Amino acid sequence: MKDPYKVLNVAKTASMDVIKKAYRTLAKKFHPDLNPGNKEAEAKFKEISHAYEQIGKEDSRVKFDKGETDKQQQSRERATYYQSQQDSGRYSRSFGQDFDETDFFENLFRNSDAQGSRRQPSSSRPNLSGEDHLYRLEVDFKDAALGAEREITLPTGKKLLLKIPPGINSGTKLRIKKQGGAGFDSAPPGDAYVEISVNDLAGYRRVGNNIETELVLSFQEAILGAEVKVQTIDGQVMMQVPAGTSTGSRLRIRGKGIKTSSARGDQIAIIKIVLPKIISSALKKAIRNLGSQYSYDPRSTKATV
């Protein structure tokens, strides 16, 4: 016969609360309803249940520690195990949306304590909240910048409407209260956390609460100035480019950046001047003629035309 202290992985000097906590943790891990078709888990659960029957109550623990045997105790263990299968609806219920772990383990532990002394009042039992669950969700750049609502489906099949606050960053965890693992006995369930991963958007880069984009100009537009269309996450806007704009210049479009609860950032258009792919002989001749009249050194900080 195996040592129940070793089966429950507790010291022989462990308190009753520690023994009960160890039992509940192992019972949840190896219960056949949570491990359908797993014969090893079923055998382990029987072993755990028997160990708890031996040392899970003060009177039976005293008998075990004294080396006494109790065949009726073994009989009760078997009855408890099979009764727990009937109460939980083994092979007839799936671990899905309708499965209530709190009710399930409440019944299980009530059966385990049915013999001997009365159950302790809830104030003297350990209050074991359910485990927190972590999920990951990919969010589009625009939704992260402006905020959005997304419907998510938990592994249990339950659907929830998740509000994504504007300005959220990758790595931020959103908390959904009481949607995690079920608690033991009367303890509350854990929480669900959704970790956000923001997808990149080609041509856009977040810098603080601003968005940086590249704006390509022809050399004529850069020299003469122009009104050009610029794409923002809200749609196209018209922007005035001043005459004499150089590559690397930064033009601000106010209020088109990352939205927050109190304000909104800007979009910064970084200028890049692009020459024609094919430069004709006529264009070269025209530039030479202009160069003789408007020559300047672009590497000089005092360059003027």
Side-chain angles (χ1 to χ4, degrees):
M1 182 179 295
K2 292 188 177 181
D3 185 341
Y5 290 101
K6 292 183 179 180
V7 172
L8 297 179
N9 195 28
V10 296
K12 291 188 176 182
T13 57
S15 66
M16 294 304 298
D17 283 348
V18 170
I19 292 173
K20 288 181 180 181
K21 181 178 179 180
Y23 167 61
R24 287 168 178 152
T25 300
L26 293 171
K28 179 181 178 182
K29 180 178 181 181
F30 292 103
H31 197 279
D33 267 0
L34 308 183
N35 299 273
N38 189 333
K39 297 298 182 182
E40 292 183 1
E42 182 175 339
K44 184 67 175 178
F45 181 78
K46 290 180 180 180
E47 184 179 78
I48 293 164
S49 297
H50 181 54
Y52 185 69
E53 284 293 323
Q54 290 178 292
I55 63 172
K57 295 183 287 291
E58 290 286 359
D59 55 349
S60 58
R61 184 181 184 183
V62 170
K63 290 181 181 180
F64 177 82
D65 289 344
K66 288 181 178 179
E68 298 179 10
T69 61
D70 188 349
K71 293 182 180 180
Q72 291 181 347
Q73 182 179 349
Q74 295 180 17
S75 177
R76 286 198 304 270
E77 181 274 328
R78 289 192 293 271
T80 297
Y81 173 72
Y82 288 109
Q83 180 64 35
S84 71
Q85 305 312 296
Q86 295 170 4
D87 289 343
S88 65
R90 186 182 176 200
Y91 303 130
S92 64
R93 295 173 64 185
S94 63
F95 184 52
Q97 182 175 2
D98 296 329
F99 184 79
D100 190 329
E101 284 185 355
T102 303
D103 292 342
F104 171 76
F105 281 100
E106 179 72 17
N107 290 335
L108 174 62
F109 299 142
R110 183 182 295 113
N111 290 333
S112 298
D113 289 340
Q115 302 293 332
S117 60
R118 296 173 57 189
R119 293 186 77 200
Q120 295 176 324
S122 58
S123 60
S124 63
R125 298 196 308 273
N127 189 26
L128 304 176
S129 299
E131 294 181 353
D132 292 337
H133 290 172
L134 176 64
Y135 309 98
R136 290 178 174 82
L137 178 66
E138 292 187 357
V139 176
D140 291 339
F141 184 93
K142 181 178 178 179
D143 289 341
L146 301 179
E149 289 184 345
R150 291 277 295 275
E151 185 179 75
I152 62 173
T153 303
L154 301 181
T156 59
K158 185 172 183 179
K159 295 182 182 296
L160 297 173
L161 189 63
L162 180 67
K163 185 174 182 180
I164 300 169
I168 196 167
N169 284 293
S170 284
T172 301
K173 294 183 178 70
L174 301 179
R175 179 187 178 193
I176 309 175
K177 293 182 179 180
K178 298 183 179 180
Q179 294 299 327
F184 298 117
D185 285 351
S186 59
D191 298 327
Y193 288 87
V194 180
E195 184 175 344
I196 300 299
S197 176
V198 180
N199 294 326
D200 292 333
L201 180 60
Y204 294 79
R205 185 167 72 97
R206 177 173 181 172
V207 180
N209 287 333
N210 291 335
I211 296 175
E212 292 186 351
T213 58
E214 184 179 79
L215 179 60
V216 176
L217 299 178
S218 68
F219 74 93
Q220 297 100 318
E221 290 172 330
I223 292 173
L224 301 175
E227 188 176 36
V228 297
K229 292 180 180 179
V230 179
Q231 188 68 38
T232 74
I233 57 176
D234 297 297
Q236 286 187 343
V237 299
M238 300 301 296
M239 185 177 71
Q240 188 68 42
V241 177
T245 299
S246 298
T247 290
S249 298
R250 301 167 68 88
L251 304 181
R252 186 182 303 272
I253 308 174
R254 296 192 180 277
K256 296 299 180 182
I258 303 297
K259 186 178 180 181
T260 66
S261 59
S262 58
R264 187 169 179 183
D266 303 324
Q267 180 166 325
I268 308 299
I270 302 174
I271 302 301
K272 179 180 180 181
I273 300 171
V274 177
L275 298 179
K277 292 183 178 180
I278 299 176
I279 300 180
S280 66
S281 57
L283 177 58
K284 291 180 180 179
K285 183 178 179 180
I287 294 299
R288 289 192 186 99
N289 292 334
L290 291 172
S292 61
Q293 302 177 54
Y294 303 103
S295 62
Y296 72 100
D297 181 0
R299 290 165 292 282
S300 172
T301 58
K302 299 180 180 180
T304 60
V305 178

